[in-house]
Structures are given as structure tokens and as C-alpha cells.
Amino acid sequence: MLTRRHIRVKVMQSIYALHQSKTDSLEKEEKFLLNSIDNMYNLYLLLLSLLVEIRQHGEDQIVLSQKKYLATSEEKNPNRKFIDNKLLRALAANESLAEVQEERNIANWKLDDEYVVIIYQQILASSAYKEYMSLKETDFDTDRDFIVHIYKEIIATNEKLYEYLEDHKLTWLDDLPSVNTLLLKKLKKASETGAEGYFLPKLYKDEDDRDYAIQLLRKAVLNDEKFQQYIDGKTPNWDAERIAELDAIIIKMAICEFLKFASIPVKVTINEYLEIAKEYSTPKSSIFINGILDKVVKELEANNSLKKVGRGLV
């Protein structure tokens, strides 16, 4: 589920938080890092459960309408295409998914069902819903494509949902684009014969990635002064104090990978941190950072300090 870029961003945020707190508790920050990464998985599960709860709300509404004393013929014989959507039913019936959500106490929509109602009403008002409900018959592919559409156009962009997530976890808004991308990818590739665990990807690709997250944080923090020395003198038009804090963190993390992670290619490190800078720092930061890192790499190569293993790693 997590890519190395996700991990780099999480480590960057942890180092920034450590600087802002004015403490030197690396152990505390490691816990924050791992908890922040774990909460990214909770967000993924929360958004999946939202689809299930929206479907359940639709079914509840049909039951209530049928119980009306003066129910109309349409209410007595409702169009069940939405609540019988094959992908939604598969999610609702997924026992493995339900077990993990229960283990992690993902029950937000039971307590805050007004958000489910808001999004359900927006779905009902959409032209996509009206078109879908007018179809005489649908197969799994049609059902799946409809869910992908409403997730992308209505749920993923929902301002009320943004507000809710921001109020509940500080890191969730930063995680939302990545989680939405993953969830949409999963929905698009879902099949009628999919395995129970299909919607439960591993948080880390392997144990090496988890170790990478911890080691990157530790080595970047513990070697901060050493990495600062590589920056000094390479910014003739800038005093060290004038470099934006986030830019300095990104540069030092890249230097950390140059020196402390022999298996990561230099080009990969530079490209990854430039993309992070474009997303999280100022508009001109990536150009500034690229200039510094280029000078650092040339210095390390000249001093024979760049020790990379494997082919093409420099």
C-alpha cells in the first residue's frame, strides 16, 4: 500500500514536527511516525466502509418507505438497483474486511451518520445516478464503473468529508490524495470473483520498508549537524538561517540517503525529493534543492564518499 515516497513524506513530516516541538525525543517521534503511517491504513478502511454505509442507508430508506401507511406504488416496489449493486454488495459481504475494521475500531459512520446522509443525497441528485437507475439490466462491470464514477466525482471531492477528516486526524488530509488514488485503483480492478482479501493490501510492501522508515528518521535526525556541513558554503546568496526549514529537511534527508542507504540510486533519491518539494514546499524550492543536491553529489564523488552497491546505482 505504501510507496517509498509515502514513507519519505511521513518521515519529513515527523522531522518537521520534531523541530517545531523544540524537543529531542527521537523515541517519541518514532512512535508518532509509525502511528501516522498506521493511521493512513485506517483512513483507507474508513473510506471503504463509507461505501458500505451509504449502501446500507439506501436500503434503510427503502424499508422505511415501504412501511408508510400511504406508501405509493413506487415506494412499495422500489428500484433496488443501487442497493443491489454487485460491487457494493460484495463489499458489504466481505467478512475479512469487516473483521479488520472491527479490530481497528473503524465505526465512525455509525456515530457520525449525518455525513453518510449528505453524501447519499448528493449521489441521488447526480445525473450519473439517474442514468444508472434507468438501466434495465446491469452486469458487474457496469456496477463497478458506476461506483468508481461516484467515488471519484462525489466522494473523493466532498468538502464536508474533508472537514470531517480534518477534525478527526491532523495527518488524514495529507494522506487523502494517496489513499483516494489507491482506493480508486482497487475499485477499478475489482472483479466479481475477487478474493476476500483483495481490498486488504499490506500496509508495507515488506519488512524492509518499515525498517527503512525508522532508519531514515533516525539517521537523518542523529546526523543533522553532519549533513548541515554539506550544505554550508553551497548557497552563496543565502545564509544557512534563511533556507526554508522544510527545504533544509528535504536536502538533509536526501544527503542521508546518499551516505547511509547504499542500495538506493542517487537519481532515485534526487527525483523523489524534488517531487516532494514540488508538492509540499514553495514553487521555487525544487530548483533550489536540485542545485544544492547536484553540488553535494559532485563533492561526494570527488571525495570518493559515495558508496553505492549494485548496477546503475550512481
Side-chain angles (χ1 to χ4, degrees):
M1 177 174 169
L2 282 169
T3 65
R4 284 287 176 101
R5 185 175 299 174
H6 293 146
I7 293 172
R8 288 179 174 100
V9 169
K10 289 294 184 185
V11 172
M12 177 192 74
Q13 291 170 337
S14 295
I15 295 173
Y16 184 79
L18 187 63
H19 287 188
Q20 294 298 303
S21 67
K22 308 295 183 183
T23 68
D24 56 358
S25 177
L26 184 56
E27 182 181 355
K28 181 180 177 182
E29 212 52 48
E30 281 182 21
K31 289 179 181 178
F32 174 84
L33 170 65
L34 295 177
N35 186 55
S36 176
I37 290 173
D38 197 54
N39 272 321
M40 190 173 180
Y41 199 74
N42 287 343
L43 176 60
Y44 168 80
L45 293 172
L46 180 68
L47 293 173
L48 260 185
S49 70
L50 179 58
L51 287 170
V52 175
E53 292 302 323
I54 289 170
R55 179 202 166 274
Q56 185 60 53
H57 179 72
E59 187 162 22
D60 293 343
Q61 291 303 110
I62 285 178
V63 172
L64 288 172
S65 295
Q66 289 176 323
K67 289 181 177 179
K68 285 182 180 178
Y69 181 68
L70 296 174
T72 64
S73 59
E74 185 179 351
E75 289 171 331
K76 289 179 180 178
N77 299 286
N79 185 341
R80 295 178 55 88
K81 194 170 273 84
F82 179 72
I83 65 170
D84 286 340
N85 179 283
K86 296 176 181 62
L87 179 53
L88 290 183
R89 290 189 73 89
L91 286 171
N94 191 314
E95 293 182 2
S96 298
L97 180 60
E99 286 175 8
V100 173
Q101 288 171 338
E102 185 175 355
E103 286 171 7
R104 287 175 170 261
N105 197 28
I106 307 296
N108 301 54
W109 310 123
K110 304 290 185 186
L111 302 172
D112 300 307
D113 59 351
E114 65 267 28
Y115 294 91
V116 175
V117 175
I118 289 169
I119 296 173
Y120 176 73
Q121 291 298 333
Q122 290 178 356
I123 292 171
L124 262 58
S126 69
S127 57
Y129 176 84
K130 294 178 176 66
E131 183 180 338
Y132 173 73
M133 297 298 280
S134 68
L135 297 174
K136 289 184 179 180
E137 292 183 3
T138 63
D139 55 16
F140 185 86
D141 289 350
T142 306
D143 285 359
R144 179 193 59 214
D145 291 347
F146 169 68
I147 297 305
V148 167
H149 178 83
I150 64 169
Y151 188 88
K152 184 177 180 180
E153 301 299 328
I154 298 175
I155 298 175
T157 60
N158 194 278
E159 290 185 7
K160 286 292 183 183
L161 183 59
Y162 283 6
E163 292 173 9
Y164 177 81
L165 297 177
E166 186 176 28
D167 288 343
H168 278 71
K169 286 283 188 300
L170 272 176
T171 57
W172 273 355
L173 277 192
D174 280 333
D175 296 337
L176 190 58
S178 298
V179 172
N180 277 336
T181 298
L182 171 67
L183 208 155
L184 276 168
K185 188 175 180 180
K186 283 290 187 182
L187 291 173
K188 287 176 182 177
K189 294 185 177 181
S191 66
E192 196 164 9
T193 56
E196 268 268 313
Y198 172 75
F199 281 104
L200 292 171
K202 291 181 179 179
L203 178 55
Y204 298 95
K205 184 178 68 175
D206 50 39
E207 194 60 30
D208 286 346
D209 274 3
R210 186 180 186 278
D211 185 60
Y212 164 73
I214 295 171
Q215 292 303 318
L216 181 59
L217 176 66
R218 288 177 182 172
K219 291 175 180 179
V221 171
L222 294 175
N223 292 279
D224 182 80
E225 291 183 8
K226 177 183 177 181
F227 297 151
Q228 181 62 48
Q229 292 173 9
Y230 286 97
I231 301 174
D232 293 339
K234 295 181 177 65
T235 56
N237 299 321
W238 292 83
D239 295 329
E241 292 77 13
R242 291 179 63 196
I243 300 175
E245 186 170 10
L246 201 56
D247 289 355
I249 291 171
I250 290 171
I251 293 168
K252 290 174 185 176
M253 286 177 66
I255 295 172
C256 182
E257 287 195 15
F258 293 159
L259 295 172
K260 304 294 183 179
F261 293 83
S263 64
I264 301 177
V266 168
K267 288 182 180 178
V268 170
T269 292
I270 292 175
N271 289 339
E272 287 290 292
Y273 284 109
L274 290 183
E275 289 302 312
I276 290 171
K278 288 175 186 177
E279 186 172 353
Y280 289 92
S281 199
T282 65
K284 294 183 179 179
S285 288
S286 62
I287 298 172
F288 173 74
I289 290 169
N290 189 41
I292 300 297
L293 294 182
D294 184 59
K295 291 177 183 178
V296 171
V297 169
K298 287 177 180 177
E299 179 182 321
L300 293 174
E301 288 175 338
N303 296 336
N304 200 28
S305 301
L306 204 55
K307 307 293 185 182
K308 295 291 182 179
V309 297
R311 290 185 179 180
L313 290 179
V314 177

